[in-house]
C-alpha cells in the first residue's frame, strides 16, 4: 500500500496505469503536466513517482532534474515511462535522476511487479549500473 | 884603548871650526896640548910626518879626512886638490859648503846616510861608497872611496873618517850606459809579446835558463824564480823534451836558426807555438848560449782549426746538398767542382765533368739559352730563376731553374751555380693547365651561370655564361662585386644570403638578376662555402627560372581558381551537410516521433486488453477471453513489427546505439526464457537451457543481447514443429558463446546467403505464412556486429539449425 504519483499527459495511459495500481491496492495521485507534478510531489511526498518522459512543455528529463533539486523530495524514486527509441535516451534518463525506466507500451502483466521492486527496495527493473 | 886623536890644526889656530880645511904640508906636527915632545919624539914624529906626507902625496888617489861632526874635510891631500882643480885657498874658501858644492845633488842623501852610519861603526871597519863630485871646470866625475874610522869622540862614536878615493868615472859612465841600455833592452825585451828566453849551453847537453822575458812567464804561468837559473829539462814538459832538445842540438850543429811547431801543456793551459832558436858562439867558436823566441800560435791554431772546421762544414754542405751545385771558372768555362746531386742528376762520373765545360758534356739542350744566361750573368753579376732545358748523359731532357752567383777564388772569377730540376714541376704545371682547361670547358658547358669568389666578393672564377647572360666582359666581372648584379631591396637580401653562406656553410636565394642593360631576369642562386687552405670561398650556380616563375604564376592562378571552386564547393557541401544534418535531425525527430506515436496507441491496446484479461475490470466468459487474447496477440505482433521497423530504420540511419554495461547473463537468459516459454509451450516444444559455470557478468548491451536471443529462439520455435529448442551459453577464450539449436526444418544451402539480408523471407514451402517482418535476422546480425561479435549459422535441411553468436566479454 503506497502513495504513487503518476505524471502523465496521455489520458489513456494515465487511466491504464492508475487502474492497475489501484487494483493492486495503492493510492494513486495524478498530475497531467510536469509543473503540476513537481508541485504535487512537494506537497504529498509520494513513495514513488512514475514519470512520463514524453511530456509536452516541460519534458520528462527536466521534470526529473527539478524533482531532484528539491531536497525534501529528492530521495523519492522516480521511474521513467518512456517510448524509448533514440540513442542516448537511457543515459539521459539515468542522469536526470531516475532510478529506472519502463518502456512503452507497458506490459500489463508485469507492470505492477516491476514497480513494486522499488517500493520494496528490490532489484532494478533494468540494471541501472 | 883610547882612540888616538890626530887632529889637524890649521895654520890659524882657533879657526878650525870655521870649516877650513887643513892641508898637510911638510910642517911640524902639532903636539898634543899640554904635552911637550922630546927631541927624539919630535924627530920621530917629523920623520913620520914626512914619510906619511910623501905617501899621501904619492898616492894617486885622493886622500881626505872627513869630520863627521863638523861635516867637512879637515885634511885633503895634494892630489885631492889637483884632482878637483881647486887651489888650497879656494878649497879653504869653500869651507863647509864644500860638500854641498861639490857633491852631486842626487848623491847627497846617500852620502848623508852613509856618514850617519859611520857614526855607529866599529873601529876596524872599512866602507866603500861611490859618488859624484864636480870639478872646478864643472864636470862631474865619479869617485870610488874606501873609508875607515880615523878618530872617535868621547862616547866612542866615530868622529873622523879617513878616506881614499879613486876616480872611476869612465867605468861608471860605462856602467851607467850599460845599465841604461840594459834597462831599455829590458823594456823592449819585456814588451815583446813573443816569448824570448836565453839558455846557457852547458856541457852534457844541458841547457840552463839564463833569463826569460815577462811574456814567457805569462804564457807558462811560472814565476821568474821558478825559471831563471833552472835547467830546461826541469821546465820543459817531458813529453816535448826529445823534440825540443833535438832541435836545440840541430841549431847548435847547423849554425842556423831552427824553427818548429810545438804543443805544450803549461799551468796556464795547452799552448801551440812556433819556436825558433839560434845558437850564440863565443870567440872560441863554442856555443855558449841559445837564444830562443816562441811565437804563441795557440789562437791562430784555434782559428785555423775553426776555419778548417768551418771549411769542412761548408764543404759538406756543398757536397751533400740535395740540390745540384757546381763551381765553374769563368775564364774557360771549366767545371772546377760539382757535388753529388749534380753528378747523379746528370748521370756523369766526377772525372767526366771536372775540367770540362758544360757544352762539352752536352748539358745545354738549347745552346741559345746558354748565350742568354751568360749575358744576364755578365750584366747583372748574378742569375736568378732562369729557366732552361738541360740534357743528361743518357740524353734525357729536362727543365731546370738556374741560379748563378759570381765569386772569386784565388783571385780568379768563378761562378757558383745552383740548378733546380723542375722537370716534374713543369709537367705538373702542364697537367694543371690541362686540368684547368678541362674544368673551364666543363664549367662553360653548364646550363646556368657559375661563380666562385672570396669573402670580399672578388670574383676568382666564373664561366662564360655569366658573361653572356650579364652582358659584362671578363675584365669587367673581374672588377665587380656579386651585389652589383642586383638592385633595390634584393641587394640587401642577397647580401644576407651571402653572409649566411659564409657563416652557416650554405644558402640559396631567388632574386632578379640584373644585366648590364638593366634587364631583370628571375634567377635561382645557390651558394656553398668551401675552405681552401683555411681561407673561405663561395662557390655556386645560378639558374634562369623565368619559365619556372611563369609556371608558378600559372599554378598560382590555377590554385586560386581551385580554391575558389573549393570554397564554393565547400559552401555547397556545408549547405548540403546542414541539409543532411537537418534531414538527419528530421529523421531522428521522425523516428522519435514515430516511435512515440506508434507505441502510444499500442500502449492502450495492449495495456487494457491485458488488464481486462487479468480480470481486474471484472469477470470474463470464455468467448470474451478468447477474443481478447486474439486482440492482444495481434497488438503484440503489431508492436513487434513497429519495433523491427524502428530498429531497422535506426540501423539504416546509422543510429544504432550499443550501450555496454556489465550485466548478469544468467539473469538475462532467465528473463528471456520467461518471455519465450509461452510460445514454446504452445507448440509443445522442449526448451532446454544449458549455461556454463563460467558464465557470469558480461560487459555489453544487455538489451540487445536479449533482443537477439529472443529473436533467435522465436525463430527456432517458429520453424520447429516437434522436438526441442536448446539454448547453450558458455565462455570460451574470453568470448561469450551463445547458441540456439532447434530440431526444425533447417535451411537449404542455397538459402544461406539470404539469411541475414533484410526483407528476404525464405520460402519454406510450408502452408503457413510465417509471421515476421523479414527483418529479424538482419537486425540480429547488425546488433551482434555492433556489439563487437559474430553470428553464424549451421543447418541441415530437414534436421535442424544452430544459430550461434559470440560476443566479447
Amino acid at each position: 500500500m503506497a502513495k504513487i504519483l503518476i505524471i502523465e499527459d496521455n489520458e489513456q495511459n494515465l487511466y491504464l496505469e492508475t487502474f492497475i495500481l489501484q487494483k493492486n491496492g495503492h493510492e494513486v495521485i495524478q498530475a497531467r503536466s510536469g509543473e503540476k507534478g513537481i508541485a504535487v510531489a512537494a506537497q504529498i511526498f509520494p513513495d514513488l513517482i512514475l514519470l512520463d518522459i514524453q511530456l509536452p512543455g516541460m519534458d520528462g528529463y527536466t521534470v526529473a532534474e527539478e524533482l531532484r533539486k528539491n531536497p525534501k523530495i529528492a530521495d523519492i524514486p522516480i521511474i521513467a515511462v518512456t517510448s524509448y527509441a533514440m540513442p542516448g535516451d537511457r543515459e539521459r534518463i539515468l542522469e536526470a535522476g531516475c532510478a529506472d525506466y519502463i518502456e512503452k507500451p507497458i506490459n500489463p502483466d508485469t507492470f505492477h511487479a516491476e514497480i513494486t521492486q522499488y517500493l520494496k527496495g528490490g532489484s532494478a527493473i533494468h540494471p541501472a549500473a | 884603548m883610547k882612540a888616538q886623536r890626530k887632529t889637524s890644526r890649521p895654520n890659524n889656530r882657533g879657526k878650525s871650526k870655521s870649516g877650513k880645511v887643513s892641508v898637510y904640508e911638510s910642517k911640524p906636527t902639532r903636539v898634543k896640548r899640554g904635552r911637550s915632545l922630546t927631541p927624539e919624539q919630535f924627530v920621530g914624529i917629523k920623520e913620520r910626518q914626512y914619510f906619511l906626507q910623501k905617501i899621501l902625496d904619492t898616492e894617486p888617489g885622493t886622500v881626505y879626512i872627513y869630520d863627521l861632526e863638523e861635516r867637512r874635510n879637515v885634511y885633503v891631500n895634494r892630489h885631492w886638490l889637483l884632482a878637483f882643480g881647486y887651489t888650497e885657498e879656494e878649497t879653504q874658501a869653500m869651507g863647509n859648503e864644500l860638500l854641498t858644492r861639490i857633491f852631486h845633488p842626487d848623491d847627497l842623501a846617500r852620502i848623508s846616510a852613509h856618514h850617519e852610519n859611520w857614526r855607529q861603526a866599529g873601529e876596524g871597519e872599512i866602507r866603500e861608497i861611490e859618488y859624484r863630485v864636480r870639478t872646478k871646470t864643472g864636470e862631474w866625475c865619479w869617485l870610488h872611496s874606501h873609508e875607515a874610522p880615523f878618530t872617535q869622540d868621547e862616547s866612542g862614536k866615530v868622529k873622523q873618517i879617513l878616506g881614499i878615493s879613486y876616480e872611476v868615472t869612465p867605468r861608471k859612465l860605462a856602467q851607467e850606459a850599460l845599465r841604461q841600455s840594459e834597462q831599455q833592452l829590458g823594456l823592449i825585451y819585456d814588451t815583446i809579446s813573443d816569448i824570448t828566453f836565453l839558455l846557457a849551453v852547458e856541457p852534457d847537453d844541458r841547457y840552463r835558463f839564463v833569463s826569460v822575458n815577462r811574456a814567457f812567464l805569462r804564457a807558462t804561468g811560472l814565476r821568474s824564480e821558478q825559471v831563471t837559473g833552472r835547467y830546461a829539462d826541469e821546465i820543459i814538459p817531458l813529453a816535448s823534451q826529445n823534440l825540443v832538445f833535438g832541435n836545440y842540438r840541430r841549431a847548435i850543429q847547423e849554425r842556423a836558426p831552427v824553427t818548429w811547431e810545438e804543443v805544450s801543456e803549461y799551468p796556464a793551459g795547452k799552448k801551440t807555438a812556433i819556436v825558433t832558436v839560434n845558437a850564440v858562439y863565443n870567440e872560441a867558436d863554442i856555443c855558449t848560449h841559445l837564444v830562443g823566441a816562441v811565437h804563441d800560435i795557440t789562437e791562430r791554431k784555434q782559428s785555423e782549426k775553426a776555419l778548417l772546421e768551418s771549411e769542412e762544414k761548408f764543404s759538406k754542405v756543398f757536397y751533400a746538398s740535395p740540390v745540384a751545385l757546381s763551381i765553374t771558372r769563368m775564364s774557360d768555362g771549366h767545371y772546377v767542382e760539382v757535388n753529388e746531386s749534380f753528378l747523379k742528376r746528370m748521370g756523369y762520373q766526377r772525372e767526366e765533368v771536372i775540367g770540362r765545360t758544360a757544352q762539352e758534356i752536352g748539358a745545354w739542350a738549347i745552346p741559345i739559352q746558354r748565350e742568354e744566361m751568360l749575358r744576364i750573368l755578365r750584366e747583372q753579376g748574378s742569375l736568378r730563376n732562369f729557366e732552361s732545358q738541360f740534357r743528361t748523359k743518357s740524353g734525357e731532357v729536362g727543365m731546370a731553374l738556374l741560379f748563378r752567383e759570381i765569386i772569386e777564388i784565388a783571385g780568379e772569377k768563378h761562378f757558383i751555380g745552383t740548378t733546380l730540376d723542375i722537370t716534374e714541376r713543369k709537367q705538373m704545371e702542364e697537367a694543371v693547365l690541362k686540368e684547368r682547361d678541362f674544368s673551364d670547358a666543363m664549367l662553360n658547358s653548364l646550363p646556368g651561370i657559375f661563380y666562385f669568389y672570396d669573402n670580399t666578393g672578388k670574383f676568382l672564377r666564373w664561366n662564360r655564361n655569366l658573361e653572356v647572360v650579364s652582358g659584362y666582359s671578363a675584365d669587367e666581372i673581374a672588377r665587380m662585386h656579386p651585389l652589383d648584379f642586383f638592385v633595390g631591396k634584393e641587394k640587401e637580401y642577397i647580401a644576407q644570403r651571402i653572409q649566411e653562406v659564409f657563416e652557416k656553410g650554405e644558402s640559396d636565394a631567388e632574386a632578379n638578376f640584373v644585366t648590364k642593360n638593366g634587364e631583370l631576369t628571375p634567377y635561382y642562386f645557390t651558394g656553398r662555402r668551401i675552405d681552401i687552405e683555411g681561407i673561405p670561398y663561395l662557390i655556386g650556380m645560378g639558374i634562369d627560372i623565368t619559365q619556372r616563375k611563369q609556371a608558378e604564376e600559372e599554378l598560382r592562378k590555377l590554385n586560386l581558381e581551385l580554391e575558389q571552386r573549393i570554397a564554393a564547393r565547400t559552401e555547397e557541401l556545408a549547405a548540403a551537410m546542414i541539409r543532411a544534418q537537418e534531414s538527419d535531425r528530421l529523421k531522428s525527430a521522425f523516428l522519435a516521433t514515430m516511435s512515440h506515436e506508434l507505441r502510444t496507441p499500442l500502449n492502450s491496446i495492449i495495456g487494457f486488453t491485458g488488464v481486462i484479461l487479468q480480470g481486474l475490470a471484472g469477470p470474463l466468459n470464455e468467448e470474451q477471453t478468447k477474443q481478447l487474447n486474439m486482440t492482444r496477440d495481434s497488438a503484440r505482433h503489431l508492436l513487434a513489427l513497429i519495433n523491427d521497423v524502428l530498429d531497422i530504420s535506426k540501423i539504416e540511419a546509422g543510429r544504432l546505439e550499443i550501450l555496454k554495461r556489465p550485466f548478469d547473463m544468467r539473469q538475462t537468459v532467465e528473463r528471456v526464457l520467461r518471455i519465450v516459454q509461452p510460445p514454446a509451450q504452445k507448440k509443445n516444444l522442449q526448451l532446454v537451457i544449458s549455461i556454463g559455470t563460467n558464465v557470469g557478468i558480461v560487459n555489453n548491451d544487455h538489451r540487445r543481447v536479449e533482443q537477439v536471443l529472443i529473436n533467435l529462439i522465436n525463430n527456432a520455435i517458429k520453424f520447429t514443429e516437434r522436438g526441442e529448442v536448446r539454448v547453450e551459453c558458455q565462455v570460451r577464450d574470453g568470448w561469450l558463446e551463445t547458441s540456439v539449436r532447434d530440431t526444425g526444418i533447417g535451411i537449404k544451402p542455397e538459402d544461406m546467403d539470404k539469411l541475414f539480408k533484410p526483407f528476404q523471407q525464405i520460402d519454406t514451402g510450408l502452408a503457413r505464412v510465417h509471421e515476421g517482418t523479414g527483418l529479424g535476422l538482419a537486425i540480429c546480425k547488425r546488433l551482434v556486429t555492433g556489439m563487437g561479435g559474430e553470428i553464424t549459422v549451421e543447418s541441415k535441411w530437414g534436421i535442424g539449425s544452430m544459430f550461434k553468436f559470440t560476443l566479447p566479454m
Side-chain angles (χ1 to χ4, degrees):
Chain A
M1 179 64 189
K3 207 188 316 185
I4 305 174
L5 168 65
I6 307 181
I7 308 175
E8 170 66 70
D9 72 306
N10 184 293
E11 284 302 328
Q12 289 192 14
N13 292 344
L14 192 54
Y15 186 92
L16 182 62
E17 287 168 24
T18 307
F19 186 84
I20 294 173
L21 290 174
Q22 280 175 345
K23 282 295 175 191
N24 278 289
H26 301 294
E27 186 191 336
V28 176
I29 301 94
Q30 296 174 334
R32 283 170 178 72
S33 72
E35 296 91 341
K36 279 230 187 80
I38 293 164
V40 170
Q43 283 168 13
I44 63 156
F45 302 102
D47 300 310
L48 182 69
I49 300 174
L50 280 177
L51 172 62
D52 174 28
I53 291 298
Q54 277 77 31
L55 283 173
M58 190 194 277
D59 72 70
Y61 301 111
T62 317
V63 174
E65 281 161 18
E66 286 301 314
L67 287 169
R68 296 294 78 150
K69 278 184 194 166
N70 189 335
K72 289 194 211 152
I73 50 177
D75 292 335
I76 304 173
I78 305 172
I79 299 179
V81 180
T82 173
S83 299
Y84 181 71
M86 307 316 292
D89 285 352
R90 254 187 275 188
E91 265 82 35
R92 285 189 72 187
I93 287 166
L94 297 169
E95 269 165 41
C98 302
D100 213 328
Y101 63 92
I102 294 178
E103 264 191 72
K104 279 197 260 193
I106 63 167
N107 184 341
D109 300 332
T110 59
F111 182 69
H112 178 248
E114 287 164 356
I115 286 175
T116 47
Q117 279 172 30
Y118 275 95
L119 290 172
K120 291 174 199 148
S123 64
I125 305 166
H126 298 103
Chain B
M1 178 175 77
K2 198 169 182 195
Q4 220 176 4
R5 270 180 88 198
K6 284 199 177 164
T7 48
S8 72
R9 299 214 183 226
N11 295 344
N12 335 354
R13 220 209 251 180
K15 285 192 182 169
S16 64
K17 291 208 192 269
S18 65
K20 288 199 174 156
V21 174
S22 324
V23 174
Y24 267 111
E25 296 284 324
S26 319
K27 288 190 179 145
T29 315
R30 286 280 174 188
V31 174
K32 283 203 181 117
R33 248 191 166 140
R35 283 181 79 179
S36 53
L37 284 173
T38 66
E40 294 80 18
Q41 281 178 316
F42 193 76
V43 169
I45 290 168
K46 272 189 76 128
E47 282 174 1
R48 268 207 300 278
Q49 263 187 309
Y50 181 71
F51 180 56
L52 218 59
Q53 192 68 44
K54 266 291 185 229
I55 291 173
L56 290 172
D57 285 340
T58 311
E59 169 60 55
T62 60
V63 180
Y64 57 88
I65 296 173
Y66 179 81
D67 191 314
L68 295 167
E69 273 177 31
E70 293 178 23
R71 294 177 189 267
R72 65 181 181 92
N73 277 338
V74 295
Y75 167 76
V76 295
N77 70 348
R78 197 157 54 91
H79 198 71
W80 199 100
L81 295 167
L82 290 173
F84 295 119
Y86 296 109
T87 64
E88 191 181 337
E89 288 75 24
E90 285 163 332
T91 310
Q92 300 276 30
M94 276 192 271
N96 278 353
E97 297 153 34
L98 178 78
L99 299 176
T100 52
R101 279 171 72 167
I102 68 173
F103 284 138
H104 194 289
D106 291 345
D107 301 329
L108 275 178
R110 202 161 38 85
I111 293 165
S112 296
H114 174 73
H115 288 164
E116 267 307 304
N117 288 338
W118 264 126
R119 304 283 291 181
Q120 322 300 330
E123 199 179 294
E125 278 197 50
I126 296 184
R127 294 192 175 171
E128 292 175 46
I129 183 172
E130 284 186 353
Y131 51 90
R132 286 162 283 192
V133 296
R134 195 194 340 232
T135 64
K136 184 176 176 184
T137 52
E139 293 154 15
W140 290 99
C141 59
W142 277 94
L143 294 180
H144 185 109
S145 296
H146 288 79
E147 295 176 347
F150 194 59
T151 59
Q152 291 95 12
D153 62 12
E154 295 87 9
S155 61
K157 281 208 191 125
V158 177
K159 181 166 175 359
Q160 290 169 335
I161 49 175
L162 171 69
I164 300 179
S165 18
Y166 294 95
E167 195 183 337
V168 290
T169 310
R171 179 167 67 85
K172 228 31 197 164
L173 287 173
Q175 254 184 5
E176 185 62 29
L178 187 65
R179 195 184 62 80
Q180 274 181 359
S181 96
E182 265 186 1
Q183 202 177 45
Q184 278 169 354
L185 229 68
L187 277 169
I188 296 170
Y189 194 57
D190 273 333
T191 313
I192 301 173
S193 56
D194 272 3
I195 296 161
T196 53
F197 57 87
L198 184 65
L199 292 164
V201 177
E202 293 188 358
D204 299 332
D205 269 352
R206 289 204 89 186
Y207 310 94
R208 186 167 50 81
F209 278 104
V210 174
S211 75
V212 295
N213 71 347
R214 259 213 283 271
F216 183 104
L217 298 172
R218 264 203 305 276
T220 57
L222 299 167
R223 291 195 306 278
S224 177
E225 52 270 29
Q226 291 173 299
V227 181
T228 315
R230 289 282 180 78
Y231 281 100
D233 45 64
E234 292 171 48
I235 306 291
I236 295 173
L238 195 56
S240 321
Q241 282 180 17
N242 272 346
L243 171 73
V244 170
F245 294 159
N247 285 322
Y248 289 174
R249 278 193 286 278
R250 240 181 63 202
I252 296 171
Q253 277 169 11
E254 292 175 15
R255 290 167 188 270
V258 172
T259 307
W260 69 95
E261 205 177 287
E262 196 178 299
V263 180
S264 317
E265 193 82 47
Y266 284 106
K270 199 183 241 180
K271 303 274 170 187
T272 310
I274 294 188
V275 187
T276 310
V277 292
N278 213 350
V280 178
Y281 304 88
N282 63 7
E283 309 84 41
D285 213 27
I286 297 175
C287 175
T288 54
H289 292 86
L290 282 171
V291 179
V294 181
H295 188 62
D296 189 340
I297 57 166
T298 311
E299 266 175 46
R300 192 182 86 183
K301 269 292 183 212
Q302 279 167 351
S303 2
E304 266 178 20
K305 189 168 161 213
L307 189 65
L308 209 64
E309 276 175 9
S310 150
E311 262 183 41
E312 218 180 279
K313 224 192 310 191
F314 283 107
S315 177
K316 274 206 180 86
V317 167
F318 179 84
Y319 286 105
S321 167
V323 172
L325 299 172
S326 58
I327 303 179
T328 308
R329 185 163 40 232
M330 283 200 77
S331 53
D332 54 13
H334 285 177
Y335 281 113
V336 167
E337 195 51 73
V338 294
N339 71 351
E340 281 308 304
S341 298
F342 182 99
L343 295 171
K344 206 160 134 191
R345 187 70 189 90
M346 297 301 278
Y348 289 103
Q349 300 295 317
R350 174 167 262 106
E351 50 271 18
E352 293 173 293
V353 172
I354 304 292
R356 301 172 72 187
T357 69
Q359 294 135 289
E360 280 171 29
I361 63 171
W364 286 98
I366 301 177
I368 290 190
Q369 289 182 338
R370 176 175 169 274
E371 307 292 333
E372 180 67 16
M373 179 211 78
L374 286 173
R375 186 183 64 74
I376 298 174
L377 193 58
R378 259 183 247 116
E379 280 175 24
Q380 299 177 4
S382 65
L383 187 76
R384 302 210 100 64
N385 290 317
F386 183 84
E387 274 189 31
S388 68
Q389 288 188 19
F390 64 90
R391 191 190 299 116
T392 68
K393 184 175 180 184
S394 62
E396 179 194 336
V397 173
M399 199 67 157
L401 206 58
L402 306 183
F403 298 80
R404 301 269 184 268
E405 258 331 299
I406 296 185
I407 59 166
E408 259 194 38
I409 300 179
E412 277 195 70
K413 277 211 164 64
H414 294 69
F415 61 75
I416 288 190
T418 306
T419 307
L420 285 175
D421 186 351
I422 53 168
T423 315
E424 245 181 68
R425 194 180 87 179
K426 275 287 176 204
Q427 284 168 352
M428 264 169 45
E429 276 176 19
E430 266 183 48
V432 166
L433 282 170
K434 275 210 193 102
E435 183 65 42
R436 208 204 163 107
D437 288 338
F438 176 64
S439 65
D440 270 341
M442 264 200 333
L443 290 174
N444 285 331
S445 71
L446 288 171
I449 58 174
F450 168 82
Y451 41 83
F452 176 70
Y453 50 82
D454 65 20
N455 65 351
T456 69
K458 179 162 147 62
F459 280 100
L460 299 167
R461 198 95 188 263
W462 60 91
N463 67 354
R464 258 198 64 83
N465 263 345
L466 179 60
E467 295 165 25
V468 166
V469 165
S470 68
Y472 291 105
S473 70
D475 288 330
E476 291 173 300
I477 291 175
R479 291 193 297 269
M480 288 171 74
H481 187 280
L483 293 181
D484 297 337
F485 295 96
F486 302 95
V487 284
K489 278 219 166 76
E490 292 193 321
K491 246 203 223 289
E492 202 185 297
Y493 169 66
I494 293 293
Q496 284 172 357
R497 293 276 90 67
I498 293 177
Q499 195 178 358
E500 194 175 17
V501 170
F502 282 109
E503 281 172 14
K504 300 209 179 114
E506 61 182 61
S507 183
D508 49 16
E510 275 186 33
N512 286 306
F513 181 79
V514 181
T515 67
K516 193 170 179 182
N517 341 348
E519 285 167 28
L520 294 171
T521 316
Y523 256 76
Y524 169 71
F525 301 99
T526 68
R528 293 281 177 281
R529 175 179 142 179
I530 66 172
D531 292 323
I532 300 175
E533 287 174 13
I535 302 175
Y537 299 91
L538 185 150
I539 193 169
M541 272 191 63
I543 300 181
D544 183 335
I545 52 169
T546 315
Q547 278 184 352
R548 176 166 54 106
K549 277 289 184 203
Q550 283 168 354
E552 273 175 16
E553 183 59 33
E554 277 179 31
L555 196 67
R556 201 186 56 77
K557 283 202 206 122
L558 207 67
N559 270 349
L560 199 66
E561 249 186 68
L562 221 63
E563 262 166 48
Q564 285 165 350
R565 272 195 252 161
I566 287 171
R569 198 62 191 286
T570 309
E571 268 181 55
E572 284 172 25
L573 284 172
M577 190 159 94
I578 291 171
R579 283 195 301 271
Q581 278 174 347
E582 184 64 24
S583 142
D584 220 28
R585 201 180 59 75
L586 289 173
K587 246 195 242 177
S588 296
F590 172 76
L591 282 172
T593 311
M594 284 320 295
S595 180
H596 178 65
E597 293 304 320
L598 289 173
R599 285 180 214 256
T600 303
L602 276 174
N603 196 43
S604 288
I605 300 169
I606 294 170
F608 286 121
T609 51
V611 162
I612 293 168
L613 279 169
Q614 282 176 36
L616 293 175
L620 292 172
N621 62 28
E622 222 179 292
E623 188 55 33
Q624 286 169 330
T625 308
K626 198 167 153 192
Q627 287 181 9
L628 277 169
N629 267 320
M630 284 192 285
T631 311
R632 191 173 62 176
D633 285 348
S634 282
R636 282 193 183 142
H637 187 66
L638 189 58
L639 183 60
L641 282 169
I642 290 169
N643 282 340
D644 279 354
V645 165
L646 286 174
D647 267 349
I648 209 74
S649 304
K650 275 192 262 179
I651 289 168
E652 290 308 317
R655 293 185 147 278
L656 187 64
E657 179 201 53
I658 301 287
L659 193 69
K660 288 194 181 179
R661 288 242 162 88
F663 67 93
D664 190 341
M665 186 60 182
R666 279 173 195 273
Q667 274 191 0
T668 305
V669 174
E670 278 162 24
R671 192 165 38 245
V672 165
L673 279 179
R674 277 203 290 276
I675 297 171
V676 299
Q677 190 82 359
Q681 254 179 1
K682 245 222 269 156
K683 285 181 97 172
N684 270 325
L685 295 171
Q686 276 267 56
L687 255 181
V688 182
I689 312 298
S690 168
I691 301 180
T693 42
N694 54 4
V695 174
I697 305 294
V698 179
N699 193 32
N700 221 314
D701 192 332
H702 81 281
R703 267 204 42 148
R704 302 304 185 182
V705 170
E706 254 181 57
Q707 200 173 350
V708 169
L709 205 48
I710 291 172
N711 207 298
L712 291 178
I713 297 173
N714 277 338
N715 272 359
I717 295 170
K718 213 184 338 182
F719 289 97
T720 308
E721 296 303 314
R722 68 185 73 84
E724 64 169 26
V725 172
R726 178 188 286 266
V727 178
E728 279 176 14
C729 189
Q730 60 177 330
V731 173
R732 191 188 292 172
D733 298 332
W735 291 82
L736 180 74
E737 273 185 16
T738 315
S739 60
V740 176
R741 247 187 270 257
D742 65 53
T743 53
I745 53 172
I747 305 158
K748 290 194 205 138
E750 54 263 34
D751 291 332
M752 286 290 217
D753 291 334
K754 294 193 231 165
L755 266 183
F756 293 102
K757 291 201 177 117
F759 305 116
Q760 302 275 344
Q761 284 248 38
I762 295 167
D763 182 13
T764 58
L766 294 175
R768 182 124 58 110
V769 173
H770 287 279
E771 292 146 7
T773 55
L775 292 176
L777 282 177
I779 293 174
C780 281
K781 183 160 182 198
R782 294 297 174 96
L783 288 176
V784 169
T785 312
M787 287 193 277
E790 250 184 30
I791 185 162
T792 52
V793 58
E794 279 170 33
S795 186
K796 266 207 160 70
W797 174 252
I799 307 292
S801 315
M802 181 184 79
F803 283 80
K804 183 158 84 168
F805 65 95
T806 56
L807 291 174
M809 289 291 289

